[in-house]
Amino acid sequence: MPATFDEKDLARYPFLQEAQAKIAGSQLNQLETFLASDVGARIIRRAADRLEAAITIPPQGLNDHFRQSHARIPNALESLYTYGMARIIASCINDRSVIERLISYEARRSSFFLMSDESEETADAEAEKRDAVAAQLGLHLHEGTVTVPAYVEMVAGLREPLWRLVNREVHDGLVRVHATEIEVLLRERIRVVIRARGLPRVPPEVCALLSPAIERLTAIHQAQMLRDLGPIDESRYPPCMNALVMALASGTNLTHMGRFALTAFLHTIGLSTTQIVEVYQRSPDFDIEKTLYQVEHISGRSGTEYTPPSCATMLTNGLCVAQDSLCERIGSPLGYYRKKKGSHPGGRPPSEDAPTPSSG
Ligand code: SF4
């Protein structure tokens, strides 16, 4: 008989079809009424806490956090709605880095519960449930294999050589996986599924009702980004950004794209508007009002905070110059800056989940 999922399971694995159906049929559909209720206020608070944990707790600390919160699912349905509400708030924040951190948190949370031995069920029942969840994810783990396309999709975000297809045992279109690798593969598969589903579209008037939580989380995220990046250190600038700064210093006017890339980069690593304007003071056509307007616009005064372009976009625009060996291992100038921090005294290597913002 196929395994059935109770409400606690749905709270633990909210990506399941049964959980999605439960959310779709819930009060979350009449959002404005729901948000004004006592239950709504409680769910918003919990959803904001969930997002805060997603933003601030590093991946290596999450299992402890899940273990502590394991006993604290007093109301499974409310926990499920909290998941739905966290997605609604993330949709309103509309920041790629926040969304990626939430996806990562949810994938780790569900895979933790799937592999946890803290369940009240028997080992057989646990294994049966794990197989049923995995089957919904398109994985048939009891056979110890995964199809090549599913495998390639799952390991796309894993950098260690052991996950590369050329290093795997492959027979008849199936990749052999070992028992010790299952948690990682489940996590990555859940990540793929949640990401593919996207976030709900939320009307602006509903986002306005959530603005206290949104503003609090935006500030927490901004502070966390700066903490992750550490103190500003020019010796970590990638070659392309060094070239742009040097060009300004030598009196060369930058192209529009060059100005955009440099400003977005400097803003993201934590330079203040005044500090960025000072960099442009060296430009021959320096106009303080125009520069201030542009810097504030790119830094988010218009409501959209721009992130630095990817290396591919830099290359297309002729701004990728003087690449060095580190450039081969990163996807954006910001990724370069983050990575270089790991080799600096006092620097902390970037977490595997730290998203690399890029925009075209
Ligand atoms: S590869 Fe990326 S980081 Fe390196 S110089 Fe080119 S754009 Fe900059």
Side-chain angles (χ1 to χ4, degrees):
M1 204 173 70
T4 50
F5 301 115
D6 59 25
E7 285 183 354
K8 245 184 177 162
D9 294 324
L10 303 188
R12 286 174 184 162
Y13 317 124
F15 56 84
L16 288 173
Q17 286 154 10
E18 292 84 344
Q20 296 295 304
K22 201 102 185 168
I23 292 175
S26 75
Q27 289 173 298
L28 286 181
N29 272 330
Q30 294 104 41
L31 262 177
E32 292 182 50
T33 319
F34 179 68
L35 294 181
S37 68
D38 286 349
V39 181
R42 195 161 61 237
I43 302 280
I44 294 170
R45 241 187 350 264
R46 288 199 181 147
D49 289 347
R50 190 156 170 154
L51 267 160
E52 181 174 348
I55 292 168
T56 57
I57 301 179
Q60 58 275 22
L62 280 175
N63 276 3
D64 280 345
H65 163 74
F66 298 141
R67 207 165 281 119
Q68 283 159 18
S69 58
H70 173 78
R72 286 192 268 123
I73 306 187
N75 183 327
L77 262 189
E78 282 199 12
S79 170
L80 180 59
Y81 297 159
T82 299
Y83 167 84
M85 183 58 70
R87 287 162 50 79
I88 287 170
I89 297 174
S91 177
C92 291
I93 294 175
N94 193 25
D95 179 292
R96 184 170 165 256
S97 160
V98 171
I99 295 166
E100 281 300 321
R101 283 174 195 250
L102 181 63
I103 292 172
S104 184
Y105 174 93
E106 295 299 343
R108 283 181 180 272
R109 179 181 179 275
S110 288
S111 61
F112 168 81
F113 283 130
L114 268 177
M115 303 306 287
S116 160
D117 53 8
E118 294 175 40
S119 152
E120 305 90 35
E121 301 192 60
T122 63
D124 280 354
E126 260 179 53
E128 199 178 294
K129 206 151 264 183
R130 187 156 50 236
D131 284 350
V133 174
Q136 244 197 55
L137 292 166
L139 300 174
H140 300 283
L141 297 174
H142 54 283
E143 293 158 12
T145 57
V146 180
T147 63
V148 169
Y151 179 84
V152 170
E153 194 179 29
M154 272 188 292
V155 300
L158 301 174
R159 300 192 190 117
E160 295 91 342
L162 93 103
W163 299 109
R164 294 178 61 191
L165 197 56
V166 287
N167 296 330
R168 308 298 303 193
E169 203 184 319
V170 183
H171 291 294
D172 299 329
L174 296 172
V175 183
R176 177 149 302 286
V177 296
H178 305 286
T180 51
E181 298 171 334
I182 288 177
E183 181 168 0
V184 175
L185 292 179
L186 276 170
R187 185 187 79 207
E188 293 306 309
R189 181 66 192 149
I190 296 168
R191 197 195 294 261
V192 168
V193 167
I194 297 177
R195 190 182 287 125
R197 250 179 219 149
L199 291 176
R201 279 169 192 259
V202 187
E205 53 276 17
V206 172
C207 290
L209 293 173
L210 293 165
S211 61
I214 292 168
E215 279 163 24
R216 182 169 81 83
L217 288 162
T218 303
I220 289 171
H221 177 241
Q222 185 69 26
Q224 185 63 39
M225 289 283 280
L226 295 181
R227 260 199 303 280
D228 288 351
L229 287 166
I232 296 155
D233 179 354
E234 284 189 31
S235 69
R236 283 160 33 199
Y237 284 14
C240 50
M241 294 300 161
N242 269 330
L244 290 170
V245 173
M246 297 283 285
L248 279 176
S250 66
T252 308
N253 282 327
L254 300 187
T255 60
H256 173 73
M257 187 60 190
R259 280 172 175 267
F260 168 77
L262 182 61
T263 305
F265 173 79
L266 295 176
H267 167 69
T268 308
I269 66 169
L271 263 72
S272 66
T273 299
T274 314
Q275 287 170 313
I276 300 173
V277 170
E278 277 170 9
V279 174
Y280 282 99
Q281 260 175 358
R282 306 161 193 173
S283 173
D285 64 348
F286 177 68
D287 172 337
I288 183 143
E289 278 187 18
K290 204 166 141 196
T291 307
L292 205 53
Y293 171 79
Q294 286 174 345
V295 171
E296 287 190 333
H297 179 75
I298 294 169
S299 309
R301 207 179 174 184
S302 60
T304 308
E305 194 170 348
Y306 294 91
T307 48
S310 64
C311 292
T313 306
M314 294 288 282
L315 188 65
T316 308
N317 285 278
L319 297 169
C320 171
V321 293
Q323 289 189 20
D324 63 18
S325 56
L326 183 53
C327 286
E328 289 164 20
R329 293 187 280 133
I330 46 90
S332 73
L334 190 58
Y336 184 106
Y337 185 82
R338 280 200 179 107
K339 198 119 201 160
K340 195 136 187 183
K341 181 173 56 166
S343 60
H344 275 242
R348 188 163 58 96
S351 78
E352 78 186 81
D353 287 328
T356 303
S358 59
S359 69

